[in-house]
Amino acid sequence: MDFVQYFYNIIDFFKLPIWRYLIYGIVLILAVLWLSFVYWTYRDAKLRNTNAIFWALIVFILNFPGLFIYLILRPPEFIEDVLERDLEIKRMELYLSKDIKFCPTCRSEVKDDFVICPQCRKKLKKSCVQCEKPLNLDWKVCPYCKAEQ
Ligand SMILES: [Zn+2]
Ligand SMILES: [Zn+2]
């Protein structure tokens, strides 16, 4: 076998149909990967409440660089986390506000003007003898009507 024959053998080897199928396979896998990037970006952007279609389009056009840009520029938190945190802040504000207190006996929530705890019947306030507004148990005089207790 001389050198030229050897060379043609190599050419023939690369002309085998298996190479074409291999390339089709690789292209197919890349296309699936590409589309899954686009889908992932769309879903992630939606969860973060940012422009999902815009970012999906960017990744569809630019592929890897687009995904890279998205990962840098995307909002840092999920929309659920933001909502959850807002809810938590509201809850804290409610606790800190003067309106909500806790029963000293059973720790259930009671409002500031409750005369008695609705859970354990602990007496929390007394009613003014004259105007019947709720007063602290140790108050000597009613701050609303000045009546001595
Ligand atoms: Zn109680
Ligand atoms: Zn009073």
Side-chain angles (χ1 to χ4, degrees):
M1 185 173 24
D2 60 13
F3 179 76
V4 175
Q5 186 59 46
Y6 179 69
F7 187 72
Y8 277 119
N9 279 346
I10 290 177
I11 296 281
D12 282 346
F13 177 64
F14 282 105
K15 277 181 180 166
L16 287 173
I18 187 167
W19 291 106
R20 204 186 307 155
Y21 293 132
L22 210 66
I23 286 168
Y24 287 163
I26 290 168
V27 167
L28 191 74
I29 288 167
L30 284 178
V32 168
L33 263 179
W34 192 335
L35 287 179
S36 53
F37 284 153
V38 173
Y39 175 67
W40 181 85
T41 306
Y42 177 79
R43 224 186 42 177
D44 192 76
K46 207 159 192 147
L47 281 174
R48 287 163 203 272
N49 204 25
T50 186
N51 198 333
I53 291 174
F54 169 77
W55 281 113
L57 211 66
I58 290 287
V59 174
F60 182 72
I61 294 164
L62 298 178
N63 202 7
F64 265 120
L67 189 67
F68 194 64
I69 294 167
Y70 172 70
L71 288 177
I72 291 170
L73 295 182
R74 70 179 178 175
E77 30 185 10
F78 289 122
I79 183 69
E80 274 97 348
D81 293 344
V82 176
L83 291 177
E84 178 73 22
R85 203 192 48 218
D86 285 353
L87 214 69
E88 186 60 32
I89 288 171
K90 281 217 179 72
R91 220 176 283 144
M92 284 300 290
E93 280 172 355
L94 202 67
Y95 282 149
L96 292 174
S97 74
K98 290 273 184 260
D99 207 32
I100 297 288
K101 296 213 159 132
F102 295 98
C103 166
T105 312
C106 70
R107 307 303 304 163
S108 59
E109 277 181 25
V110 288
K111 283 199 174 163
D112 198 35
D113 57 352
F114 281 8
V115 175
I116 193 169
C117 170
Q119 296 292 330
C120 71
R121 296 165 200 272
K122 157 109 181 142
K123 196 176 179 193
L124 302 167
K125 302 258 172 172
K126 60 185 176 186
S127 297
C128 171
V129 291
Q130 189 172 300
C131 69
E132 298 197 326
K133 284 219 162 84
L135 310 181
N136 283 2
L137 292 170
D138 59 344
W139 285 357
K140 309 269 184 308
V141 64
C142 171
Y144 302 104
C145 72
K146 297 192 276 184
E148 290 287 336
Q149 301 300 306

